[in-house]
Amino acid sequence: TVGAKWKNKSTIRTYTKPSNPSTAGQQSVRGVFASMTSFVAMFADQIKYLSALNTAGQSVRNAIIQANKAQIMDGTFDKTTLLISKGGLQKVAGESASETSGKITVTWTKPTATNFTANAELIAVMVQPASGLVEVVTAPATTETVSGTMTFAQGNVDVYVYYLDKRGSNKVASASDYISVTIA
């Protein structure tokens, strides 16, 4: 028997060893969860104040993991469909990214929806897992271009773009979109 506190009361119960299934499916889910968690951890703290995800009682990293729960349960981690933002604003349109001397420039078509305020920004999150480099840049949604200042190493860079509109103490965002850039 073991003693413990439950709802602030002392209790005694029979000890039962918790089950720890080690099935192939469970190992697949654990592997995807670990991969996604380590990838998102690279940039989650940097977008803490640039997110409209519901973070009540949790970190931005956990909110992103929760938003992508279906991928984890399917046993697949696909960076191209990973959502790092979601919301009711119009998605970014006409987005593309290019690189010059290892620096990334993102372009897009300014939003046409009427529910944007003058505070609306485009957020670009650039992640290069191989080198561990991360850069987050912002620009007014109407400018249609933003350039990073960090020089990325040779290889692939994952770029996520989304709109964020700050309305007083509230934030509204769009669903994120993915762009892949190869640094030559």
Side-chain angles (χ1 to χ4, degrees), residues 19-153:
S19 78
N20 186 11
S22 189
T23 64
Q26 182 64 29
Q27 292 305 316
S28 173
V29 167
R30 288 177 180 171
V32 168
F33 182 78
S35 297
M36 187 181 292
T37 301
S38 63
F39 180 74
V40 171
M42 293 178 69
F43 59 86
D45 284 343
Q46 293 182 11
I47 65 169
K48 180 190 286 188
Y49 301 108
L50 300 172
S51 175
L53 290 172
N54 181 8
T55 57
Q58 63 183 342
S59 65
V60 170
R61 180 179 71 181
N62 287 348
I64 293 171
I65 298 297
Q66 184 176 4
N68 293 281
K69 185 178 176 182
Q71 274 195 33
I72 295 170
M73 299 313 291
D74 289 344
T76 59
F77 173 45
D78 184 2
K79 292 181 198 177
T80 65
T81 60
L82 183 74
L83 282 176
I84 67 167
S85 176
K86 63 181 186 174
L89 288 180
Q90 166 191 342
K91 276 186 84 167
V92 179
E95 70 274 12
S96 63
S98 59
E99 70 90 15
T100 304
S101 301
K103 296 182 187 209
I104 297 176
T105 298
V106 177
T107 58
W108 65 94
T109 306
K110 68 180 176 178
T112 57
T114 58
N115 62 342
F116 282 78
T117 69
N119 297 327
E121 297 178 304
L122 178 110
I123 313 296
V125 180
M126 305 168 197
V127 184
Q128 189 175 47
S131 66
L133 295 175
V134 175
E135 183 173 21
V136 179
V137 292
T138 66
T142 56
T143 60
E144 300 185 285
T145 187
V146 65
S147 295
T149 58
M150 181 176 288
T151 303
F152 287 94

